Amino acid sequence: MILKNKHFSIFICLISSIFVVLKMYTGSNIFLWIFFLLTCTAMLCDKQQHRIDYLLFFISWVYVIKFDLTSYSLFVVLSFFYIVLSILTIILQNEGLSTRLVITYFLFVFYAVSVTLFSGGNVIEVLGFVLNYSVIFFAVQAINHKEYFRRYTYIYVLGLLAAAVVRLISFSVPTIDSFIQSMTVVNTVRTLSAISTRFTGLDLDPNYFSLQILIAMSCLLVLFNLDGKKEKKSIVFIIILAAFGVLTYSKMFIITFIALILMTFIVFFKNNVKTAIKFSSFILVICGTALFFFYEKLFEIYWIRFFGAGISTDAITTGRVSSWGMFASEILQSTKIFVFGAGFGTTFSKVKMAHTMYLSTPYYLGFFGVILALLYILSLYKVLNNNVGIVGHTSFQLLSVNAIPLYIMFIANIGLDSFVMDYFPYHILLLMFALTMNKSQGIQMNGR
């Protein structure tokens, strides 16, 4: 029996998250089993387009939905279950697949696995990488209407906010706090007056948590501007997410957030000066209010974060310049790595992170691998365009709200290694979907 209630997945996700919290509170794995069985059953009964909802919601919970510190996250099993259900749906409904997409997918997957095997890397790690990029293959195949962008964005935002609220509450509940600390990492900032904990939600790293926030905010901005409807709840969510982002005390978040504001102002100014003025006034009021109440604490913490270790490039970038140099040298000094990549889970990547997607990706995959990854993503985008009914595709618009999530991803990942993270394929799905929302791109047809 396939359920068609459009709110069913949201309800189940919220109920399932309660069982995860009960696992944190009691330590009993029975609650995690209930979460897993309930979520799998819901995915089985739900329609294909709604099955991705459960993964979008719980991608922010990936580090806490596991039985113990050393075990793999149940999110991996949920992803595999989603793929199996998707394959069965395609077979039973006799759905056609894009030949180009299938070819680029298998080339990308085969290449990533082969390079890792020949390099003596970690097979489990590369299979996890492939699994996440397989999920979006089937997600794009199932999408048949542009309205799903609104649904997927809000589901993703709700999961992110639920994770943030649970972490916020956990500071007052020692048992939950201890569980989260055992599964994740506590990051702090020491100032002259106090030691402040950097907010991470249920993620391991405040920088990666803040990146998820930035992607969510930029997609909400697209929704706010979609078809001139000006969805007010999008702005409410953006403000709440921004507050959590500031609490990460992430330099990357502040820099990218400023870029987000500037890009939004430029786009609004280009399209409607009156809207740009309203936007500027709104930002001034929000920022002014925040600074009025929290100026001293925020100024001290962010001053320490940016300049506490000195004013050298390595100090300001928290050692990233040194990492960039090491990875650049590894890539350029080895023809094999430059052309074919080092694969996943190799010795060098285990002891050091590149701290930039623009070096880690070519290090893992090499020149040929990067080309295959881009071809796969472009094939996904083409199929997505066709599925939501965009024909007569026009040129990419540089100055549009719909392109802002893409720019945010590019800017933030100057200092992050998101390409190999679990959530990154979901970001790709959302930003590709955002690009299709531009109503000037072609003619909108009825969904298939």
Side-chain angles (χ1 to χ4, degrees), residues 159-174:
L160 194 56
L161 285 175
V165 169
V166 168
R167 186 62 182 120
L168 200 62
I169 293 173
S170 73
F171 292 124
S172 302
V173 185

Side-chain angles (χ1 to χ4, degrees), residues 354-375:
H355 290 296
T356 176
M357 187 176 71
Y358 305 107
L359 286 174
S360 62
T361 306
Y363 173 80
Y364 289 120
L365 295 176
F367 175 78
F368 286 132
V370 170
I371 296 299
L372 289 175
L374 290 175
L375 288 174

Side-chain angles (χ1 to χ4, degrees), residues 126-346:
V126 73
L127 289 178
F129 170 81
V130 165
L131 184 74
N132 291 316
Y133 283 86
S134 299
V135 166
I136 59 173
F137 174 94
F138 294 103
V140 165
Q141 175 65 25
I143 294 169
N144 56 18
H145 197 280
K146 70 173 188 176
E147 186 59 31
Y148 283 111
F149 175 69
R150 174 179 281 101
R151 179 186 185 86
Y152 294 163
T153 297
Y154 281 128
I155 285 282
Y156 179 69
V157 168
L158 285 174
L160 194 56
L161 285 175
V165 169
V166 168
R167 186 62 182 120
L168 200 62
I169 293 173
S170 73
F171 292 124
S172 302
V173 185
T175 51
I176 299 179
D177 186 43
S178 297
F179 177 87
I180 293 174
Q181 287 189 36
S182 71
M183 291 294 188
T184 60
V185 178
V186 177
N187 295 268
T188 59
V189 181
R190 181 187 293 273
T191 62
L192 295 175
S193 57
I195 297 177
S196 301
T197 300
R198 297 180 63 188
F199 194 77
T200 60
L202 298 178
D203 207 308
L204 282 175
D205 190 300
N207 292 318
Y208 288 105
F209 176 69
S210 62
L211 173 59
Q212 295 185 70
I213 285 176
L214 287 162
I215 295 295
M217 290 170 62
S218 58
C219 288
L220 286 168
L221 187 64
V222 174
L223 281 182
F224 173 75
N225 196 61
L226 187 61
D227 297 332
K229 293 180 179 179
K230 308 301 181 191
E231 293 188 22
K232 300 300 186 295
K233 63 180 177 182
S234 296
I235 297 301
V236 174
F237 282 133
I238 287 174
I239 294 172
I240 297 171
L241 288 168
F244 282 123
V246 170
L247 292 177
T248 63
Y249 307 134
S250 167
K251 290 181 281 187
M252 181 278 296
F253 175 80
I254 291 299
I255 293 170
T256 312
F257 185 46
I258 292 171
L260 173 63
I261 292 173
L262 291 175
M263 284 188 288
T264 305
F265 175 78
I266 291 170
V267 170
F268 282 170
F269 187 82
K270 169 181 171 287
N271 296 329
N272 191 315
V273 176
K274 188 175 180 180
T275 302
I277 293 173
K278 288 181 179 180
F279 172 76
S280 302
S281 302
F282 178 75
I283 293 296
L284 286 173
V285 170
I286 295 296
C287 292
T289 303
L291 289 174
F292 178 80
F293 288 103
F294 307 108
Y295 174 77
E296 289 188 11
K297 181 178 180 179
L298 291 178
F299 179 81
E300 183 180 16
I301 289 175
Y302 275 103
W303 180 268
I304 291 293
R305 289 285 296 133
F306 275 95
F307 307 113
I311 57 173
S312 66
T313 53
D314 215 42
I316 293 175
T317 61
T318 322
R320 280 170 169 76
V321 171
S322 296
S323 297
W324 297 344
M326 291 175 64
F327 267 79
S329 296
E330 283 288 316
I331 294 170
L332 296 175
Q333 289 176 6
S334 170
T335 304
K336 174 186 173 296
I337 293 177
F338 180 83
V339 178
F340 299 108
F344 294 84
T346 51

Side-chain angles (χ1 to χ4, degrees), residues 384-395:
L384 183 60
N385 265 341
N386 292 336
N387 285 357
V388 298
I390 295 180
V391 296
H393 177 69
T394 60
S395 59

